[in-house]
């Protein structure tokens, strides 16, 4: 990928910068992006460890049509995947590289939209007791999906929002209007709820992170012990739940994704793809 970047930078065969305020200029950019994106996919297929496991064949035409018809709308990128698939890591990397390229970016986690279940936890004595009695924490009904969709639509139109904040300490408390999220040019949204119901329809780019269960299990157990102070028995019990919940609720989101990305891929290569996309959209005469 670095070869493609250098070739683009050193090429003497560059197009004149289009007038993006005109429809004709945006159409030229759209055609240009289609050609270059196909080049990226062809390069990736030849790699020993490709990052793209699946690409929606309608994505390029849909995305370029969106560029032409609604250029003022913010770019919303939704990232989902089963637990410990690597979605948070990819999200952080995406934010870092976008910032390095001097582009404004906002990040939002859908975990902040869990329902307030503090009263239920008090009733059952603990979060574990609540889930043992059938509460399905990862089900779509456990999220404030209508609020999430409304907030995403507001961000897409350029409005700053005040998102809720879910406190992940076992109390089940959700604090409304707690997190100020600005509407930057790029808004990255991460979490299992990004592909739930009609929330998924808000995103311009939908990414599903996929990683083998064995790798996910190892990551999850390590994280549970180190970051959440869980013993192995409790961590394994939670892992068994997540396997079933992921298959039931999260995996269907794979079918709606524009890209299925290998969650165990090389992050440096991922950065180079983003850098190349930035290069081709800013490297005009």
């Amino acid at each position: 990928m670095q070869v493609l970047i250098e070739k683009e930078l050193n090429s003497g065969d560059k197009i004149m910068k289009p007038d993006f305020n005109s429809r004709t200029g945006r159409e030229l950019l759209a055609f240009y992006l289609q050609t270059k994106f196909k080049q990226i996919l062809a390069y990736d297929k030849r790699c020993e460890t490709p990052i793209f496991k699946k690409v929606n064949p309608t994505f390029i035409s849909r995305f370029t049509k969106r560029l032409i018809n609604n250029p003022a709308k913010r770019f919303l990128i939704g990232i989902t995947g089963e637990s410990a698939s690597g979605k948070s890591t990819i999200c952080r990397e995406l934010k870092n590289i976008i910032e390095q390229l001097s582009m404004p970016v906002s990040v939002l986690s859908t975990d902040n939209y869990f329902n307030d279940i503090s009263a239920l936890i008090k009733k059952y004595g603990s979060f574990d007791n609540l889930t043992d009695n059938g509460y399905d924490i990862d089900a779509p009904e456990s999220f404030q999906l209508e609020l999430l969709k409304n907030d995403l639509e507001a961000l897409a139109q350029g409005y700053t929002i005040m998102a809720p904040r879910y406190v992940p300490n076992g109390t089940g408390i959700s604090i409304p209007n707690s997190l100020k999220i600005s509407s930057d040019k790029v808004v990255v949204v991460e979490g299992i709820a990004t592909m739930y119901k009609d929330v998924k329809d808000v995103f311009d780019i939908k990414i599903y992170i996929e990683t083998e269960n064995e790798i996910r299990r190892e990551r999850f157990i390590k994280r549970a012990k180190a970051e959440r102070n869980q013993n192995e028995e409790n961590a394994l019990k939670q892992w068994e739940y997540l396997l079933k919940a992921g298959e039931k609720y999260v995996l269907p989101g794979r079918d709606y994704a524009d890209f299925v990305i290998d969650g165990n891929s090389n992050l440096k290569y991922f950065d180079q793809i983003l850098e190349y996309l930035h290069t081709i959209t800013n490297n005009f005469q």
Side-chain angles (χ1 to χ4, degrees), residues 24-70:
T24 302
R26 295 194 298 273
E27 287 174 344
L28 177 60
L29 175 63
F31 177 77
Y32 180 65
L33 285 177
Q34 285 183 21
T35 303
K36 294 297 184 178
F37 190 71
K38 289 174 183 176
Q39 191 178 49
I40 292 173
L41 295 179
Y43 177 89
D44 186 67
K45 284 182 179 179
R46 296 194 299 268
C47 288
E48 186 176 342
T49 54
I51 194 170
F52 296 107
K53 301 181 77 171
K54 174 190 168 187
V55 178
N56 189 321
T58 68
F59 170 73
I60 296 178
S61 61
R62 283 189 291 105
F63 184 70
T64 51
K65 189 178 293 183
R66 143 76 169 89
L67 281 177
I68 294 167
N69 295 330
N70 197 357

Side-chain angles (χ1 to χ4, degrees), residues 19 24 28 31 58 82 111 127 161 193 198 217 225 229 250:
D19 178 8
T24 302
L28 177 60
F31 177 77
T58 68
E82 294 182 77
D111 287 358
F127 177 83
I161 65 164
D198 55 356
R217 181 182 183 278
K225 290 179 178 179
N229 201 30
V250 186

Side-chain angles (χ1 to χ4, degrees), residues 68-82:
I68 294 167
N69 295 330
N70 197 357
K73 182 175 177 286
R74 303 299 197 259
F75 284 106
L76 265 64
I77 303 174
I79 301 177
T80 194
E82 294 182 77

